[in-house]
Every structure is written in C-alpha cells, then in structure tokens.
C-alpha cells in the first residue's frame, strides 16, 4: 500500500443531516416539493370504466365454454375443466410433474389424511338414555322369543311352518 494515502478505515464517516418536517420526522425536501397538493390526484384519468383486473380476466377466461368431442359426442365444457382433464390425463400417462400437481391439489382441497369421523364420547346423560333404550330393546326381544317359540305367526293364527296351535 502506498504511503501517504489514508486507508478507508481512517476516513471519517460523513452523514448527511436529514431534513425535518414540522412534526419532527425526517423527510427529504425533494419529495416534499414533488408531492401532490391536497385534493389533487396523481392519476387524473383514473382507472378506466369497465377495466378488469387479472383475477376477473382469468376467471372469465377459465369459465368460457369450448366445444369438445368426447366419446363421439359433442359437449360444451368450461376451459377450467379441460385444463384439469388434460393435467389428469398427463399424470395418468406417467408425467411426474403433472402427478405432483394433481396430488398437491388433492391435498389442498381434500386434506392430507383420511377424514374419518372422530370417535366422540357420549355425555353421561346420553349414555344413560342409550343404556335404557338398549335394555328395553333386549327385554322386548327376550319376551318375543318366549311367546313365539315356534316362530312368527301369520294373520290367520298359524305359525310360519303352517302348523296350528
């Protein structure tokens, strides 16, 4: 390193003083001068009437109906359905990227795990009602077996085998 040339570490750090606004916050004078005055818009024309955003444009495009021949029949399907059919067909043919996308969609909309109903425990009141019902049901079926030992009876008083009693 040549002598007489100061190193970067020895140079003093010079900081510019910030312009302060009335309330004490720092703000550049340049932005203050170019700011729009109150009541004046920066976009005089504004958003054109009837202009659509990307979301509504995409939705409109995907909902557009297209004629498709499927199994010898001409049908009208929305483009979104055709995109899904195409992606699923590619996945079924072995396209790994298409399969990953389909699996991602399935997980997103149907969940990762099986949605089996969780076993819930009954409240003590519900449990007593259930036990009472099952007890009555068992008593009635025991009584029916004792009455009709030879089986059920028909309307004319005969049992199902045709015997009179």
């Amino acid at each position: 390193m040549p002598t007489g040339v100061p190193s970067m570490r020895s140079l003093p750090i010079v900081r510019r003083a910030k312009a302060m606004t009335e309330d004490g916050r720092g703000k550049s004078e340049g932005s203050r001068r170019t700011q729009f005055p109150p009541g004046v818009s920066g976009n005089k024309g504004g958003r054109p009437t009837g202009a659509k955003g990307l979301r509504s444009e995409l939705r409109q495009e995907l909902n557009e109906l297209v004629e498709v021949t499927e199994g010898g029949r001409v049908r009208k399907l929305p483009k979104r359905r055709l995109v899904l059919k195409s992606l699923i067909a590619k996945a079924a043919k072995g396209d790994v990227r298409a399969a990953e996308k389909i699996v991602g969609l399935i997980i997103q909309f149907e969940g990762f795990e099986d949605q089996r109903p969780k076993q819930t425990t009954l409240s003590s009141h519900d449990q007593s009602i259930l036990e009472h019902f099952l007890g009555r049901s068992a008593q009635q079926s025991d009584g029916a077996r004792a009455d009709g030992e030879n089986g059920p009876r028909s309307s004319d008083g005969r049992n199902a085998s045709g015997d009179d009693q």
Side-chain angles (χ1 to χ4, degrees), residues 52-68:
K52 295 179 180 177
L54 179 61
R55 180 182 289 177
S56 60
E57 290 281 350
L58 181 62
R59 187 178 294 125
Q60 183 179 356
E61 191 66 31
L62 288 173
N63 288 334
E64 188 175 303
L65 296 177
V66 179
E67 284 189 359
V68 178

Side-chain angles (χ1 to χ4, degrees), residues 153-159 164:
R153 298 204 171 267
S154 64
S155 59
D156 61 354
R158 296 180 180 188
N159 64 12
D164 258 343

Side-chain angles (χ1 to χ4, degrees), residues 25 46 93 132 139:
R25 291 182 302 150
K93 288 180 182 178
H132 178 71
Q139 288 173 354

